[in-house]
């Protein structure tokens, strides 16, 4: 695994905290540990793929409350819960709120490492997706209003001739707009362009 | 007959009359006394003298006022004056004499003033009857009547008298407080106006039957019935009745007590009692869960922390070792931490053991069968809900043991709950739970809980190891704690397989050999 991944450990028990840090670093992960949810929140949100290994029973803000707090702050970091004694309702609540895994101490180390890997991979994928979308949006915004208009019509299935008729211009002008837009959008094919526009539409719908 | 003869005959006859009078005077059963106009006695028969306890000569020194009791003198003098003034011919007076010995005598005096005739001065003539006894009887009667009147008037119960038609003759003041009617309003009314509709016919029929046949239909000494107040409110009463025949008429007197408050108190006490019982059962259940469950949970959490750390450190070392990347100083630091966490875990266990041992216990002489009964009661519908057939075989007249009731309840509950839980998955055979008590070979009391559940694997004793559990959501602490508790009682707790299915958990408790306290 690359050094770019960061695992954050939040556990109020010092020996659990340091041993977890040791275990995770033994498989090459970068680890930062915190004794409470509050101290973690003081740190600026990480910009690398990361996940949280979180004890449910913490002094101060409990693990489950912390999970809610993170969601409220739109910090979308995957969480692996560990607990000294967990009951079913507690784990159900954590999983419903999007936790990756809910492990009961003492857990098998492989279970924890697997859960951490899943969490990191999910965070990486999410970040990549978000980055793609941001790039795409930037490229789309670099188009002129006319180019954006033409592209939207193209994607909706209209022919160049129809678009020209609609916009009151020559078919050749439409062709020029279209090829420029394809170039600016970095689209390899017409199908590629359709996918990009759909993606942008999808994220816009999700955001609204 | 010559004049002399006739004079002599006359004298003789006169003497005879005189003698007859004197005899009559002396032997009369009634006191007779005569006094001169000033009131001084000059003649008194023996009855009168005895009445006053004076001799003849002593008496003739005294006037009638001297022997009259001070309080009666004034009235006596008044009557005497009326007689002297000619307003009346004679008078009768009840008064008291004061005897020579100071005692009082009630008398009825009939007094006349005999006018003077010839040479004889007017004198007082009194016929005196000793009425002390009658007076005492009267007084006693009056006292009794007064006493009853007082009781009735001041009674806090309504006292109501009825005639043979169940019509109210009399009601005491308390009737107002009890029924809201003024006693005057009730006189002449039928008793049934003080009863709710549903009792009226019953009363009329019962009363008529009683008057006709003497057959009672209610207990006259305190029967609980329902009363009806003037405002229409019904309330519970306790009624006692008595019967008296007066001048040939039968009078029934009832004492009616408002028992609303008593009923309320009784109801309250019943509810309180019920609440207490529920609370006690609940408490026992909760304390079982808190002491066993909570303790287990906190132990689990406490012990799991160092265990987790030990595992993390060990696994990290193993991984680094596998990659041939384990530096000696890293290994040393990891091992140091492992040792520290191992020490921490054993310290926690030691603390828990000490806690269980030191947990305040209250040892009493207990009947084990009683404790079993209480625990089975606590289980309540637990058996029914899990479709478990309970069979208890309790040896009679077990000797008492010395133990902490709550702790023994907890152990028993734990064993029973384990048995119940071990059978929840059984569907191909009856779910049977036996609870047995008896004296074992060594003379200890033995209690066994036997189930037809999933049973134990070969190493039956492993179930007593802390954190060993076969249950999905178990802590593996119940049996471990139970064993500690039984051992603290000087007994043993062990498990054996049941034949053909299930497990038997047995524990012994030494018999209390101390003399009964």
């Amino acid at each position: 695994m690359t050094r770019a991944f960061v695992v954050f450990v939040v556990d109020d028990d010092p020996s659990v905290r340091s041993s977890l840090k040791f275990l995770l670093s033994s498989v090459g992960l970068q680890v930062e540990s915190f004794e409470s949810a509050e101290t973690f929140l003081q740190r600026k949100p990480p910009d690398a793929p990361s996940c949280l290994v979180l004890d449910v029973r913490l002094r101060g803000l409990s693990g489950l409350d912390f999970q809610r707090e993170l969601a409220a702050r739109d910090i979308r970091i995957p969480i692996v819960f560990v607990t000294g004694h967990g009951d079913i309702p507690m784990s159900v609540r954590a999983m419903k709120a999007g936790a990756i895994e809910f492990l009961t101490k003492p857990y098998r180390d492989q279970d924890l490492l697997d859960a951490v890997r899943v969490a990191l991979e999910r965070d990486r994928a999410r970040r990549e997706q978000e980055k793609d979308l941001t790039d795409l949006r930037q490229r789309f915004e670099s188009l002129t209003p006319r180019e954006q208009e033409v592209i939207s019509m193209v994607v909706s299935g209209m022919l160049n001739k129809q678009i020209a008729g609609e916009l009151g211009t020559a078919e050749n002008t439409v062709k020029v707009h279209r090829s420029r837009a394809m170039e600016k959008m970095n689209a390899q094919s017409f199908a590629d362009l359709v996918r990009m526009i759909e993606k942008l539409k999808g994220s816009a719908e999700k955001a609204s | 007959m010559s004049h002399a003869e006739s004079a002599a005959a006359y004298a003789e006859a006169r003497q005879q009359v005189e003698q007859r009078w004197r005899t009559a005077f002396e032997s009369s059963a009634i006191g007779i006394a005569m006094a001169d106009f000033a009131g001084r006695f000059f003649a008194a028969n023996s009855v009168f003298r005895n009445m006053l306890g004076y001799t003849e000569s002593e008496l003739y020194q005294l006037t009638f006022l001297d022997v009259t009791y001070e309080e009666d003198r004034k009235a006596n003098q008044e009557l005497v004056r009326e007689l002297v003034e000619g307003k009346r011919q004679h008078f009768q007076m009840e008064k008291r004499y004061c005897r020579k010995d100071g005692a009082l005598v009630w008398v009825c005096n009939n007094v006349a003033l005999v006018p003077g005739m010839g040479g004889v001065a007017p004198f007082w003539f009194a016929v005196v009857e000793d009425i002390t006894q009658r007076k005492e009887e009267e007084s006693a009667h009056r006292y009794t009547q007064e006493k009853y009147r007082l009781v009735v008037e001041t009674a806090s119960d309504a006292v109501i008298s009825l005639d043979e038609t169940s019509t109210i003759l009399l009601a005491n003041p308390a009737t107002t407080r009890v029924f809201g009617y003024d006693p005057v309003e009730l006189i002449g009314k039928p008793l049934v106006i003080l009863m709710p509709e549903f009792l009226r016919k019953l009363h009329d029929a019962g009363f008529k039957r009683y008057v006709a046949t003497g057959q009672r239909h209610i207990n006259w000494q305190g029967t609980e019935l329902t009363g009806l107040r003037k405002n229409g409110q019904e309330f519970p009463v306790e009624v006692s009745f008595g019967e008296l025949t007066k001048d040939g008429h039968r009078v029934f007197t009832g004492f009616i007590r408002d028992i609303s408050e008593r009923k309320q108190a009784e109801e309250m006490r019943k509810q309180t009692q019920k609440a207490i019982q529920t609370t006690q059962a609940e408490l026992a259940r909760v304390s079982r869960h808190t002491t066993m469950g909570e303790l287990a949970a906190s132990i689990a959490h406490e012990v799991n922390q160092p265990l987790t750390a030990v595992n993390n450190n060990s696994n990290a070392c193993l991984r680094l070792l596998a990659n041939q990347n384990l530096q000696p100083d890293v290994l040393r630091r990891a091992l140091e931490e492992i040792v520290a966490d191992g020490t921490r875990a054993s310290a926690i266990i030691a603390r828990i053991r000490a806690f269980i041992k030191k947990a305040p216990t209250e040892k009493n002489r207990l009947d084990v069968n009683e404790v079993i009964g209480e625990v089975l009661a606590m289980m309540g519908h637990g058996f029914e809900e899990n479709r478990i057939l309970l069979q208890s075989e309790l040896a009679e007249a077990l000797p008492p043991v010395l133990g902490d009731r709550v702790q023994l309840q907890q152990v028993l509950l734990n064993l029973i709950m384990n048995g119940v839980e071990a059978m929840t998955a059984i569907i191909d055979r009856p779910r049977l739970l036996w609870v047995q008590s008896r004296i074992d070979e060594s003379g200890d009391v033995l209690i066994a809980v036997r189930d037809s559940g999933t049973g134990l694997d070969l190493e039956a004793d492993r179930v007593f190891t802390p954190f060993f559990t076969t249950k999905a959501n178990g802590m593996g602490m119940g049996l471990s704690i139970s064993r500690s508790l039984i051992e603290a009682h000087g007994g043993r707790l062990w498990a054996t397989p049941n034949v053909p299915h299930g497990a038997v958990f047995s524990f012994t408790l030494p018999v209390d050999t101390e003399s009964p306290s």
Side-chain angles (χ1 to χ4, degrees), chain A residues 44-106:
Chain A
K44 79 175 175 56
D47 51 10
S50 53
C51 76
L52 254 178
V53 176
L54 183 59
D55 189 7
V56 172
R57 206 189 263 195
L58 288 173
R59 276 191 287 272
L61 208 58
S62 86
L64 293 172
D65 294 336
F66 183 33
Q67 183 183 28
R68 201 184 305 125
E69 179 66 30
L70 288 171
R73 295 184 182 208
D74 200 28
I75 301 174
R76 279 176 277 176
I77 184 167
I79 300 173
V80 175
F81 275 105
V82 288
T83 177
H85 86 107
D87 51 23
I88 291 167
M90 200 188 271
S91 58
V92 166
R93 200 183 130 191
M95 298 304 284
K96 270 192 174 167
I100 299 295
E101 189 59 275
F102 194 94
L103 297 168
T104 305
K105 291 179 190 172

Side-chain angles (χ1 to χ4, degrees), chain B residues 248-306:
Chain B
H249 293 289
R250 293 156 86 179
V251 176
F252 303 89
T253 301
F255 292 77
I256 300 147
R257 175 169 301 179
D258 181 348
I259 55 169
S260 316
E261 280 171 20
R262 194 177 84 194
K263 282 277 167 193
Q264 267 170 16
E266 272 173 22
E267 190 53 37
M268 201 107 98
R269 209 197 50 212
K270 265 188 217 157
Q271 278 180 0
T272 312
Q273 204 120 37
K274 207 173 152 193
I276 288 172
Q277 278 169 359
T278 316
T279 314
Q280 276 174 340
E282 202 51 44
L283 208 62
R285 234 193 300 273
V286 167
S287 81
R288 186 241 178 194
H289 281 129
T290 49
T291 49
M292 294 257 188
E294 280 292 309
L295 186 63
S298 90
I299 291 166
H301 188 76
E302 290 253 324
V303 178
N304 276 337
Q305 300 287 29

Side-chain angles (χ1 to χ4, degrees), chain B residues 291 352-362 404 407 485 488:
Chain B
T291 49
I352 291 157
R353 290 204 155 182
F355 170 77
I356 291 171
K357 274 189 194 144
K358 277 190 207 147
T361 53
E362 198 185 319
D404 183 301
Q407 288 186 354
L485 291 178

Side-chain angles (χ1 to χ4, degrees), chain B residues 118-176:
Chain B
V120 183
F123 66 94
W124 299 99
F125 184 85
V127 175
V128 184
E129 189 189 357
D130 184 342
I131 56 164
T132 305
Q133 200 184 339
R134 198 191 87 206
K135 276 287 176 188
E136 274 171 4
E137 280 169 6
E138 268 180 19
S139 156
H141 184 65
R142 232 195 346 263
Y143 175 70
T144 311
Q145 272 199 327
E146 185 64 14
K147 203 165 66 182
Y148 280 125
R149 195 191 58 80
L150 205 68
V151 168
V152 168
E153 293 288 304
T154 59
S156 56
D157 297 349
V159 180
I160 293 173
S161 293
L162 308 173
D163 67 8
E164 287 162 308
T165 65
S166 188
T167 301
I168 296 172
L169 299 172
L170 208 89
N172 73 338
T175 309
T176 311

Side-chain angles (χ1 to χ4, degrees), chain B residues 1-9:
Chain B
M1 203 188 277
S2 70
H3 182 74
E5 270 181 329
S6 66

Side-chain angles (χ1 to χ4, degrees), chain A residues 140-153 181:
Chain A
F140 186 74
E141 277 160 12
S142 73
L143 304 181
T144 63
R146 180 47 62 112
E147 282 164 0
Q148 287 182 1
E149 208 171 5
V150 169
I151 270 195
S152 300
M153 289 169 142

